[in-house]
Amino acid sequence: MKTASPDKSLIYQDVFSSGQAAEPAWQRYGALREQALAHLAAHGLETRGDEAWVHGSAGGLAGGEALPVSGLRQTTATGPAALARSHRLVFLNGVFAPERSNVGELPAGAVVQPLSTGGETAQLGGLPVTEATGLVALNALFWRDGLRLELDDNTVLDLPVELHFINDLAGKPGLVPTRNLVQVGAGCQVTVIERHEPGASKLIEQPLTEVICGVGSRVDHIKLVGGAAAGEHFGRTQVVQQQDSRYRSWEIVTGGHLARREIHLELAGPGAACDLNALYMGRGRQRFDLRTRVAHNAPGCTTRELYKGVLDGEARGVFDGLIRVARDSQQTSAHQTNRNLLLSDDAVVNSIPRLEIYADDVKCSHGSTTGQLADEQLFYLRTRGFSPAEARTYLAWAFASEVI
Amino acid sequence: MLRIEDLYAGTQGQDILKGIDLEIKPGEVHAIMGPNGSGKSTLSQVLAGNEAYDVTSGTVTYQGRDLLELGADERALAGIFLAFQYPVEIPGFSNEKFLRTAVNAQRRHRGEPELDAFDFAQLAKDKMALMELDPDLLNRSLNVGFSGGEKKRNECFQMALLEPSLAILDETDSGLDIDALRIVSRGVNALRRPDRSVLLITHYQRLLEYIVPDYVHVLADGRIVRSGGKELAAELEQTGYGWLEDMTAGEVAQ
Ligand SMILES: Nc1ncnc2c1ncn2[C@@H]1O[C@H](COP(=O)(O)OP(=O)(O)OP(=O)(O)O)[C@@H](O)[C@H]1O
Ligand SMILES: [Mg+2]
């Protein structure tokens, strides 16, 4: 145990041990849960001093007050409007809500269903975990449901898989972990959209998605954290890419009092490419932490990363990105860019772009800029009849448009 | 239309304009010439409402209103248009969206219904043809990657769309080839009406052969040191600005 302050993870270990017998969801994936329990017992949760929180904020997780909620409750919350055509799964407080979902027809070789149904899948929890491992263990202990998407080789889903995570604990504190598994075989193509609305204050949602991209597959992954509510969001995506696969990600974060998004991605096979995009737009006292960890563990792989932030009011943002190129990963191309626009003097951003390169035949770059709206641009728009507010809005959107 | 009286303005405590007097009546075209750094662009920026410049004294009256009271956007809505010497680039903001928003700001101000993308496309098509502008420029980011001449013509295109009462053109002719100069002049002349005025800032008499001014003024060191008819431009083309130094020396001697 490395924590000096009382270890909040003890509370969580107790909740799990005393509740497991009564919670059918926690009885599934027993090995995964035992492993998580052992991890928490040995290491505890990360605390402020740990690498995981050096620049970010643990928010309500540091307090240990938000306990995992049990089961579905009634809610009138509707969540975001659904797409006209999609395979849609809705989760209320972390539990599948069949009456709101519509998976529809699927091609042969495709499984799109809640994790709570069907047999256990061996792949779940199989990806190597680095950093903030206590957080991952917390999710592993308590998740009840989420998406299970499995595609046999050469399966193409024309419609996107759309996930809605709607949380409503009637103002009470609570922790809502969810778990998704996306496993696609060789030559598959699919788009997955995660839509999160963190819910009211003191509510903490903690989705974790594992993505396994087979040889030559194409996976597009859109993650939206929106809504007006003041809850907290700790989201993580773990990706492993096999040879010649392409993974593209868009993280659009506008909602929540505190939102932390992490991508941990391994380029495991030669010729794989990832394209990571994010836009975080905060105001008031919102706080967004965006973190990426990309490991180039095979030759000839490509990373292109563009993270953009627009912060107004007293909003704070953190971009912490690391691309690590292993010794034998020659012909790597890796470019990481973070750009921030501060709309007020009280908005703050902390940008830490990093490259660690152990191979010699590589093309890599990283860069970070933080600036304010240019007076000349504002003036130019005003001479064309734009009010000051309109001019600012259009310029902020112009800045953001590169990502979306 | 516009009356400027004893206008002093500058930046960082330094006056750049040092007592400008100028009156432009409806329907008139005035040209301002003068050496580099004499304050021509500063005058145009102050008239358009650039807050980077402080007006330290003097008055500017536009259509009977105190112009200096108005913000840049209010001046635009009141019919003042500035074609910039250096048009600003805005990556990510499409020229089409920009122009449509600008036109609709005017229409809203006048109580007219706003144009949707389709109606705007119709309007833009005609005016672009007038400016002989490539319609593809509509889909590009505002001024980004535009050639020097395209930027200037895009300014004139905006002017043609917005139909200002007072158009101020700051060296819109600089960097234009002969054909573009003719096109831009055609755009300005198409705008001329008894109730509209034009203030042309230029270094070249050539423009004034296409857009014939009623008055020509010479701005030097922040003041109008000579005014005359269109023949003054021809004279300047011959003499240059060397005589200004003699004049300043003369003043000092007095
Ligand atoms: N924002 C500013 N900050 C500091 N100095 C300025 C600023 N704007 C103008 N000046 C100075 O004021 C003087 C007049 O500049 P201005 O651009 O008005 O000249 P101009 O007559 O338009 O010249 P040109 O013919 O080269 O376009 C110059 O010495 C210039 O450096
Ligand atoms: Mg100038």
Side-chain angles (χ1 to χ4, degrees):
Chain A
M1 200 107 20
K2 56 178 156 181
T3 50
S5 57
D7 181 11
K8 305 299 181 210
S9 82
L10 289 174
I11 303 170
Y12 291 117
Q13 292 172 50
D14 277 354
V15 170
F16 182 79
S17 302
S18 58
Q20 189 183 20
E23 290 285 359
W26 295 352
Q27 289 159 24
R28 289 165 57 83
Y29 294 93
L32 188 73
R33 316 247 183 209
E34 287 307 322
Q35 218 184 326
L37 197 61
H39 181 95
L40 281 182
H43 305 287
L45 275 175
E46 288 78 17
T47 61
R48 246 174 238 289
D50 284 301
E51 158 75 12
W53 301 120
V54 169
H55 304 286
S57 163
L61 280 177
E65 296 133 19
L67 299 181
V69 301
S70 72
L72 176 65
R73 296 171 194 219
Q74 291 303 317
T75 177
T76 51
T78 50
L83 295 180
R85 282 162 55 77
S86 68
H87 306 290
R88 184 169 67 253
L89 290 88
V90 176
F91 299 88
L92 289 181
N93 296 330
V95 175
F96 182 60
E99 72 286 358
R100 294 195 184 201
S101 303
N102 182 9
V103 173
E105 242 181 87
L106 293 165
V111 173
V112 178
Q113 63 184 43
L115 264 176
S116 55
T117 59
E120 296 184 16
T121 163
Q123 262 67 34
L124 193 92
L127 299 192
V129 173
T130 54
E131 282 198 6
T133 50
L135 272 186
V136 175
L138 197 61
N139 174 284
L141 263 192
F142 293 124
W143 66 266
R144 292 164 195 280
D145 218 338
L147 167 73
R148 172 173 178 172
L149 167 64
E150 286 167 349
L151 301 183
D152 289 348
D153 289 355
N154 301 313
T155 306
V156 173
L157 283 196
D158 293 325
L159 296 182
V161 175
E162 183 187 17
L163 310 175
H164 285 202
F165 297 90
I166 300 169
N167 303 307
D168 180 5
L169 302 179
K172 297 197 181 64
L175 178 69
V176 185
T178 48
R179 174 70 78 124
N180 307 298
L181 175 69
V182 175
Q183 189 188 5
V184 312
C188 293
Q189 290 183 31
V190 66
T191 297
V192 178
I193 305 173
E194 291 182 33
R195 306 176 73 166
H196 301 275
E197 293 198 351
S201 78
K202 302 211 171 127
L203 191 148
I204 303 174
E205 64 170 344
Q206 202 205 3
L208 194 160
T209 303
E210 286 178 285
V211 184
I212 299 151
C213 305
V215 174
S217 62
R218 303 238 173 295
V219 176
D220 283 352
H221 194 180
I222 298 165
K223 291 146 274 184
L224 308 172
V225 183
E232 296 182 5
H233 174 100
F234 290 81
R236 182 181 183 110
T237 310
Q238 290 186 194
V239 188
V240 168
Q241 290 189 246
Q242 289 164 10
Q243 184 169 349
D244 296 326
S245 61
R246 184 190 73 190
Y247 174 79
R248 298 192 299 186
S249 162
W250 289 265
E251 303 204 331
I252 313 293
V253 183
T254 57
H257 173 64
L258 166 66
R260 171 180 168 116
R261 294 272 347 158
E262 299 178 52
I263 294 182
H264 298 258
L265 184 145
E266 183 189 7
L267 294 155
C274 70
D275 188 356
L276 310 180
N277 304 277
L279 174 61
Y280 42 104
M281 298 180 88
R283 56 169 77 161
R285 309 201 60 168
Q286 282 180 306
R287 156 136 219 176
F288 298 145
D289 296 349
L290 285 294
R291 208 168 247 266
T292 64
R293 296 289 181 266
V294 177
H296 277 256
N297 290 344
C301 293
T302 304
T303 296
R304 183 193 150 279
E305 204 174 333
L306 176 63
Y307 272 52
K308 284 188 129 180
V310 179
L311 301 171
D312 202 351
E314 293 170 54
R316 297 173 68 91
V318 177
F319 168 76
D320 181 345
L322 172 63
I323 299 176
R324 189 176 175 283
V325 183
R327 186 136 55 95
D328 297 325
S329 301
Q330 305 299 357
Q331 278 101 45
T332 284
S333 165
H335 300 283
Q336 183 189 59
T337 308
N338 175 229
R339 297 197 192 293
N340 298 287
L341 175 62
L342 304 182
L343 296 178
S344 92
D345 292 339
D346 297 321
V348 180
V349 76
N350 199 342
S351 176
I352 308 124
R354 281 184 287 165
L355 292 168
E356 271 178 27
I357 302 169
Y358 301 99
D360 42 37
D361 179 12
V362 300
K363 283 204 183 80
C364 294
S365 70
H366 65 131
S368 163
T369 57
T370 296
Q372 302 194 324
L373 288 179
D375 287 339
E376 316 82 76
Q377 294 184 340
L378 279 169
F379 174 60
Y380 189 74
L381 293 187
R382 289 188 66 194
T383 65
R384 300 316 187 233
F386 291 63
S387 72
E390 266 183 316
R392 287 160 57 89
T393 305
Y394 279 106
L395 288 177
W397 278 109
F399 174 84
S401 68
E402 197 183 350
V403 174
I404 40 180
Chain B
M1 174 74 60
L2 183 77
R3 185 158 62 240
I4 306 174
E5 284 175 310
D6 203 26
L7 181 69
Y8 283 75
T11 176
Q12 290 150 6
Q14 284 276 326
D15 275 338
I16 299 170
L17 304 181
K18 301 167 185 170
I20 302 267
D21 288 287
L22 180 67
E23 176 160 17
I24 302 178
K25 296 210 171 73
E28 289 179 351
V29 173
H30 288 239
I32 292 190
M33 307 182 79
N36 293 134
S38 56
K40 303 181 297 297
S41 291
T42 302
L43 176 61
S44 72
Q45 297 275 319
V46 168
L47 291 177
N50 190 341
E51 288 157 11
Y53 298 96
D54 307 310
V55 173
T56 46
S57 74
T59 59
V60 182
T61 316
Y62 169 73
Q63 293 182 337
R65 302 165 73 180
D66 179 359
L67 188 70
L68 302 177
E69 286 278 286
L70 304 179
D73 45 320
E74 297 166 308
R75 297 182 196 198
L77 296 177
I80 290 185
F81 179 88
L82 169 63
F84 281 62
Q85 181 174 6
Y86 303 108
V88 175
E89 299 183 1
I90 305 186
F93 195 8
S94 91
N95 202 19
E96 190 273 343
K97 187 85 211 281
F98 161 71
L99 292 164
R100 184 150 52 90
T101 311
V103 166
N104 280 332
Q106 294 273 0
R107 294 180 67 93
R108 216 167 37 228
H109 182 71
R110 294 198 296 253
E112 295 167 9
E114 297 188 19
L115 298 181
D116 61 20
F118 181 80
D119 292 336
F120 176 75
Q122 292 297 327
L123 175 69
K125 215 174 107 195
D126 297 343
K127 306 278 186 186
M128 282 196 110
L130 179 75
M131 283 298 139
E132 296 183 23
L133 263 179
D134 182 352
D136 280 352
L137 290 184
L138 275 182
N139 304 321
R140 304 240 303 259
S141 282
L142 177 58
N143 289 325
V144 177
F146 287 25
S147 77
E150 284 170 342
K151 282 184 185 168
K152 296 297 180 81
R153 274 190 283 161
N154 198 46
E155 293 288 291
C156 284
F157 171 42
Q158 294 172 43
M159 183 181 69
L161 284 170
L162 297 173
E163 302 186 323
S165 304
L166 174 64
I168 304 167
L169 288 85
D170 189 359
E171 291 199 31
T172 303
D173 54 332
S174 295
L176 289 185
D177 63 38
I178 307 280
D179 287 340
L181 186 68
R182 192 176 39 75
I183 294 162
V184 161
S185 306
R186 192 169 65 200
V188 175
N189 287 327
L191 201 74
R192 288 183 75 167
R193 266 190 357 198
D195 58 341
R196 290 187 183 143
S197 310
V198 180
L199 182 61
L200 286 176
I201 294 170
T202 183
H203 284 295
Y204 304 107
Q205 195 220 341
R206 205 179 49 190
L207 176 72
L208 305 180
E209 285 167 4
Y210 291 102
I211 311 170
V212 181
D214 300 296
Y215 297 95
V216 175
H217 310 277
V218 179
L219 190 68
D221 193 23
R223 271 176 305 161
I224 291 179
V225 295
R226 266 189 83 181
S227 296
K230 62 173 186 287
E231 61 293 340
L232 179 54
E235 184 192 322
L236 292 172
E237 191 93 356
Q238 296 291 318
T239 60
Y241 295 113
W243 53 272
L244 279 172
E245 276 168 36
D246 304 340
M247 208 178 86
T248 328
E251 272 179 17
V252 171
Q254 286 163 19

